[in-house]
Amino acid sequence: MAKREIPEINAGSMADIAFLLLIFFLVTTTMDKDMAYMRAIPKRIENPEPPLPIEKRNICLILANSQNQLMVRGELMTDPDEISEKVKEFYTANEKVNDPKNKFPMYSTISMSQIEQKILQAEKELEETENTPDVMPEIVEFKQAQWDKWVKKKEALEMLGKPQLREIHFQAHVRIEVQKNTSYELFTKIHSELREAIFDLRDEVANDLFGESYGVIHKRYISNEGDKDKQVEASEDKKKIDLLKILYPDRFIEVTPKK
Amino acid sequence: MSKFKKDSGKSAPGINTSSLPDIVFMLLFFFMVATTTKEADPTVRVVQPEGVRATDMTPYKQRSEIDFVYLGKPMNKARIKDFKSGFALFLDNVAQPDPGELYSTNVIRQWKLDKFNTKPASMNKPIESVITCVKADKEAPTGMIFDMRNELQEINALQIAYAVKDLGNI
């Protein structure tokens, strides 16, 4: 059979097709990132028990009213940029030495042997509740969480490399109370300042302990987390982050406005 | 006899465009990788407040673990007076209901549950960890955000995110 020449396909319109696709994607997509402050909403409880009384020194109260005026720990504040300084002071005032005279949360000290005792105790309690017939799953969950907490503290102290772990009072928290007409701008400003304060504090410790900033560790952890080959590094970074979170916990309470 | 020939009469050779599609495809792939698809264009005007050290929501968006709520003044100025506070809600993937219904808190609950239930089973994360991202206008009253928050608490959707315009870390 005679050899037939294959006619060349005209690829001249290929560029047009590609341009069409390109323009479609340019129109339907955006490049700007969505940035936000993530907050957990507390679980709804059917019949809440009356809350335990909390010492005033353990609350960092941030008030914002409908006229967008600010009050932090009982002092009027005209410049919202100062919130982060106040929050930092709240966290660090008693960090080195406890001073019962001031109005800031106390720090407690715990040693390795004490933590190990607590782990054993939590383990025993967990086992007991699991073996109790007809036990509510919430209680088992709670005991499990208790045990996890102590194990995490042990890891944190190992990471810290000091004989003792100094921790802020377990009730110390930041309480945000706004009114219904407070602007969203001020509300997010408060969150921004809180985030900045916590970030700065963690940065400082991270630089002392590991020679790199919290931001760097956190970013690397996020990028390594999903990578199967980098699990070792990710778990190491996770431990570092856990320690920093124990030292400066982000405990924020947002109160639903009544008026 | 001259050294330079005048090539009069000959036309300029055509430029070879066979690599043009390659270049365009390269551009196309760049934009496909570097951008994310737009959510619905909101019909409310939102000027975001500024903040620092906010969390990037892109990874959640790519896994569609996030729902967006817009809160702002309606673009159509004539409609502003239809709303009690002047601010209206816009929920993604929902056709605009009546103005009266627009800001009733039940809408949020129904919308969130509908969105959750229509997702394919393989993508289902427990509803507690599906984020609701609130993109609100600077001037929006915080009371409305807390109304939403309470609604979300009722249906056990326990992650909320307050969107801001990030100023970077410096």
Side-chain angles (χ1 to χ4, degrees):
Chain A
M1 219 168 105
K3 217 177 171 185
R4 237 205 293 170
E5 233 177 78
I6 304 164
E8 224 174 272
I9 298 164
N10 184 5
S13 53
M14 183 80 121
D16 301 351
I17 296 166
F19 263 121
L20 221 68
L21 277 170
L22 175 65
I23 289 161
F24 171 74
F25 274 96
L26 276 176
V27 171
T28 56
T29 60
T30 53
M31 242 180 169
D32 47 85
K33 281 181 186 167
D34 284 312
M35 304 294 271
Y37 299 110
M38 283 230 271
R39 293 284 176 263
I41 304 172
K43 217 175 187 158
R44 212 180 105 88
I45 303 169
E46 285 305 325
N47 301 307
E49 286 170 33
L52 292 169
I54 294 175
E55 257 191 286
K56 224 173 177 184
R57 62 163 26 155
N58 287 329
I59 307 172
C60 180
L61 181 61
I62 301 176
L63 291 165
N65 70 5
S66 327
Q67 277 85 47
N68 293 332
Q69 287 163 327
L70 262 179
M71 191 182 244
V72 180
R73 303 207 87 202
E75 280 170 50
L76 274 174
M77 191 175 276
T78 43
D79 184 7
D81 289 328
E82 287 165 22
I83 299 173
S84 63
E85 290 305 315
K86 281 277 176 194
V87 174
K88 272 195 227 168
E89 194 188 7
F90 174 79
Y91 271 98
T92 54
N94 286 331
E95 198 183 13
K96 298 278 176 303
V97 195
N98 273 338
D99 179 5
K101 283 193 202 99
N102 67 16
K103 288 195 178 104
F104 296 102
M106 293 294 198
Y107 268 73
S108 60
T109 314
I110 194 162
S111 69
M112 197 51 145
S113 54
Q114 277 168 313
I115 292 178
E116 269 162 6
Q117 252 174 18
K118 289 277 188 190
I119 293 178
L120 285 179
Q121 198 190 328
E123 222 171 64
K124 221 172 87 186
E125 274 177 33
L126 178 65
E127 227 168 85
E128 270 172 26
T129 28
E130 272 174 341
N131 291 334
T132 319
D134 306 328
V135 72
M136 266 157 64
E138 284 89 2
I139 297 176
V140 178
E141 239 171 67
F142 173 75
K143 293 283 177 195
Q144 179 77 41
Q146 287 288 312
W147 180 70
D148 281 347
K149 189 183 88 184
W150 286 107
V151 170
K152 261 198 178 152
K153 271 189 194 174
K154 189 185 171 192
E155 277 177 358
L157 186 51
E158 277 166 359
M159 202 79 212
L160 187 66
K162 282 183 188 161
Q164 282 168 330
L165 184 68
R166 254 181 101 71
E167 253 188 301
I168 199 161
H169 196 282
F170 71 99
Q171 283 184 331
H173 68 274
V174 179
R175 189 178 167 91
I176 307 167
E177 282 187 30
V178 294
Q179 288 188 341
K180 278 189 175 161
N181 278 325
T182 307
S183 73
Y184 182 68
E185 188 177 22
L186 184 62
F187 180 66
T188 48
K189 180 71 190 168
I190 295 170
H191 278 296
S192 166
E193 288 291 309
L194 285 177
R195 186 100 174 111
E196 198 183 355
I198 297 280
F199 225 93
D200 283 356
L201 290 170
R202 286 182 188 165
D203 250 3
E204 227 169 273
V205 182
N207 272 326
D208 280 355
L209 291 174
F210 316 120
E212 37 185 10
S213 72
Y214 173 65
V216 172
I217 299 172
H218 197 261
K219 216 169 195 174
R220 193 176 52 215
Y221 170 67
I222 295 288
S223 68
N224 284 352
E225 191 190 15
D227 196 335
K228 267 185 195 151
D229 303 329
K230 287 178 177 163
Q231 285 304 307
V232 184
E233 290 152 53
S235 73
E236 191 73 4
D237 284 336
K238 178 96 177 78
K239 275 186 201 164
K240 287 181 186 174
I241 293 168
D242 281 344
L243 166 64
L244 296 170
K245 279 189 178 164
I246 284 174
L247 292 176
Y248 301 111
D250 25 24
R251 292 197 205 112
F252 308 135
I253 295 181
E254 297 160 88
V255 185
T256 310
K258 290 203 179 65
K259 57 175 181 180
Chain B
M1 204 179 100
S2 72
K3 273 193 177 175
F4 305 101
K5 261 191 263 168
K6 266 188 193 160
D7 44 12
S8 53
K10 250 193 243 168
S11 59
I15 299 165
N16 186 3
T17 56
S18 59
S19 56
L20 188 61
D22 301 352
I23 297 165
V24 180
F25 268 117
M26 217 153 71
L27 272 172
L28 173 66
F29 289 140
F30 169 74
F31 278 102
M32 279 172 73
V33 171
T35 60
T36 50
T37 49
K38 253 186 223 166
E39 303 293 324
D41 271 333
T43 52
V44 293
R45 186 164 283 117
V46 173
V47 181
Q48 289 193 336
E50 291 165 345
V52 293
R53 307 257 189 218
T55 317
D56 188 3
M57 293 287 126
T58 315
Y60 302 100
K61 241 171 125 175
Q62 284 163 346
R63 282 176 268 147
S64 39
E65 285 166 14
I66 190 163
D67 301 325
F68 287 92
V69 182
Y70 296 81
L71 178 60
K73 289 206 164 98
M75 296 264 191
N76 182 355
K77 288 213 172 77
R79 291 286 296 277
I80 293 179
K81 61 174 177 4
D82 293 345
F83 301 96
K84 212 168 73 189
S85 57
F87 285 88
L89 275 183
F90 177 86
L91 314 169
D92 59 359
N93 293 350
V94 168
Q96 202 96 315
D98 299 337
E101 294 246 311
L102 239 191
Y103 182 65
S104 88
T105 35
N106 285 327
V107 176
I108 286 252
R109 196 188 289 200
Q110 202 50 49
W111 163 74
K112 187 86 185 171
L113 285 174
D114 281 350
K115 271 200 113 175
F116 183 71
N117 291 331
T118 49
K119 258 182 208 165
S122 58
M123 272 160 78
N124 262 0
K125 275 199 106 188
I127 194 161
E128 297 98 85
S129 47
V130 179
I131 303 164
T132 312
C133 187
V134 183
K135 284 190 181 177
D137 189 78
K138 268 184 185 181
E139 308 293 323
T142 320
M144 287 175 93
I145 288 158
F146 275 93
D147 285 349
M148 274 184 237
R149 196 172 172 272
N150 290 345
E151 270 317 289
L152 293 172
Q153 194 180 35
E154 293 287 327
I155 58 165
N156 224 6
L158 298 178
Q159 283 285 347
I160 195 165
Y162 308 117
V164 290
K165 194 174 141 214
D166 196 70
L167 292 180
N169 296 337
I170 305 156

